[in-house]
Amino acid sequence: MSALTAHFLVGPTASGKSAVAQYLALLGHPTRPILAADSMTIYRGMDVGTAKPEAADRAAVPSFGFDLVDPDQPFSVGDWLAAVRAAAPAIAACGAPPIVVGGTGLYVKCLTEGLDSAPVDPAHRAAAEALLNAEGLAALQAAARALNPAEFAKLRDPENPRRVVRAYELLAAGQPLPVVEERPRPKLAGLALPPDELRARIARRARQMFAYGLVEEVRALRAKYPTLSDTARHAIGYAEAARVLDGQLPEEEAIRLVAVRTGQYAKRQMTWFRHQADVVWIEVGPRDGIERLAGKVQAVWRTHGPAALRLDPAT
């Protein structure tokens, strides 16, 4: 369907991806569009707790992938890819390859490798994706294996969340697993920080979220949306802020828990990218400001070129 190509910038939360991508987008002539590959910034009204770029920054460059759905609505990986597909003409009209920036591995994966054409049963796929989001890949693997251990044993690349989601829905429907054709993975640029520095950044961000009004944001969301989707309700920061509102948790303890959960999430992100993508990692050092990091990212992009976006369903 689409001949779009893009440069990717991935990495864990709080690694500085968005700031570097914004800097690089503004360097382009014409200004390059940004496509956010982030499963939390899709929600309208969830700004502080998702560290969504400021409205002025999003207005300064053509921005896509933000504010796609109300937080009381379910939203799958397939829904996200459909939104990108619908935006493809506007992205192409910008006249420059987009910069895909984010840390949601499944979103990156479906852009570079495609997504299965249609669910065997939407309820099975939704259940698999909800389990993956809530409890992680190991829990989804166990659930799929329990459905049909012999058939699950045939799954190639069981560390690939997209394939485990597909396996779950097929096995839940009583169908065999398909034969999957392997394709080479594109080279992606990624930012990586020393663990101590990343933990420090995460701790600062957690405190800033509450200082910048996360509790008030949750209060407003509750007033507008009486029932949030499971993903939005359990999002890091939002669950803790809701407990602060309900008098169940002191704010200082909420900040600590947000930092802990975010650190665990960042670790899962790094594990995912190291196993499920071909990333050229750029180690962020103490002297690496945005301009210097942008130069390093550009060097990776020049060496390896852009990646083709696979917006059609995988075969």
Side-chain angles (χ1 to χ4, degrees):
M1 169 187 168
S2 171
L4 273 179
T5 62
H7 287 110
F8 284 74
L9 181 57
V10 302
T13 186
S15 60
K17 303 181 301 295
S18 296
V20 173
Q22 182 82 8
Y23 181 89
L24 287 166
L26 291 169
L27 284 182
H29 300 286
T31 300
R32 296 184 63 175
I34 285 178
L35 171 58
D38 187 303
S39 62
M40 289 292 109
T41 59
I42 61 169
Y43 291 114
R44 302 182 187 104
M46 293 177 62
D47 303 332
V48 176
T50 64
K52 193 178 295 179
E54 296 288 342
D57 289 337
R58 283 180 277 145
V61 302
S63 298
F64 301 89
F66 298 103
D67 298 338
L68 300 177
V69 64
D70 288 335
D72 62 344
Q73 298 299 310
F75 196 80
S76 69
V77 177
D79 293 330
W80 184 80
L81 187 60
V84 176
R85 189 183 299 121
I91 295 173
C94 294
I99 298 171
V100 179
V101 58
T104 300
L106 285 177
Y107 284 11
V108 172
K109 195 82 166 179
C110 75
L111 279 184
T112 58
E113 297 187 15
L115 194 65
D116 295 311
S117 56
V120 174
D121 183 315
H124 292 327
R125 178 171 290 186
E129 291 177 345
L131 180 60
L132 178 65
N133 288 332
E135 300 183 33
L137 179 59
L140 179 60
Q141 290 169 333
R145 185 181 295 108
L147 291 169
N148 189 326
E151 193 66 21
F152 183 80
K154 301 176 185 177
L155 179 65
R156 295 184 63 182
D157 197 6
E159 297 301 313
N160 183 327
R162 180 175 68 91
R163 290 185 183 161
V164 182
V165 167
R166 183 63 167 171
Y168 179 96
E169 64 169 307
L170 288 169
L171 297 178
Q175 298 191 19
L177 301 187
V179 176
V180 178
E181 178 187 354
E182 293 292 337
R183 293 182 173 93
R185 292 171 174 167
K187 296 280 188 181
L188 315 178
L191 299 184
L193 284 82
D196 288 346
E197 174 59 24
L198 184 58
R199 280 193 293 270
R201 288 194 184 191
I202 286 171
R204 288 195 297 270
R205 175 181 284 188
R207 188 165 296 279
Q208 287 171 348
M209 285 178 177
F210 282 83
Y212 294 168
L214 178 58
V215 173
E216 289 73 20
E217 183 170 88
V218 172
R219 193 194 310 275
L221 287 169
R222 282 182 163 185
K224 189 171 183 179
Y225 307 103
T227 303
L228 298 179
S229 70
D230 285 343
T231 301
R233 186 170 66 253
H234 294 107
I236 296 174
Y238 289 88
E240 290 77 11
R243 293 178 65 190
V244 171
L245 270 178
D246 293 338
Q248 299 174 353
L249 196 65
E251 185 169 299
E252 196 63 30
E253 177 64 7
I255 293 170
R256 187 191 70 81
L257 290 175
V258 169
V260 169
R261 286 186 67 198
T262 305
Q264 294 168 342
Y265 175 58
K267 185 176 181 180
R268 292 197 301 271
Q269 286 177 297
M270 289 298 293
T271 299
W272 194 96
F273 280 115
R274 284 175 173 147
H275 288 89
Q276 301 302 322
D278 191 352
V279 181
V280 180
W281 290 106
I282 298 164
E283 298 294 333
V284 180
R287 296 184 179 180
D288 285 328
I290 291 178
E291 183 175 355
R292 185 180 174 93
L293 283 174
K296 293 181 179 182
V297 171
Q298 285 180 310
V300 173
W301 289 350
R302 283 194 298 268
T303 299
H304 299 288
L309 300 188
R310 297 193 62 215
L311 301 183
D312 287 323
T315 56

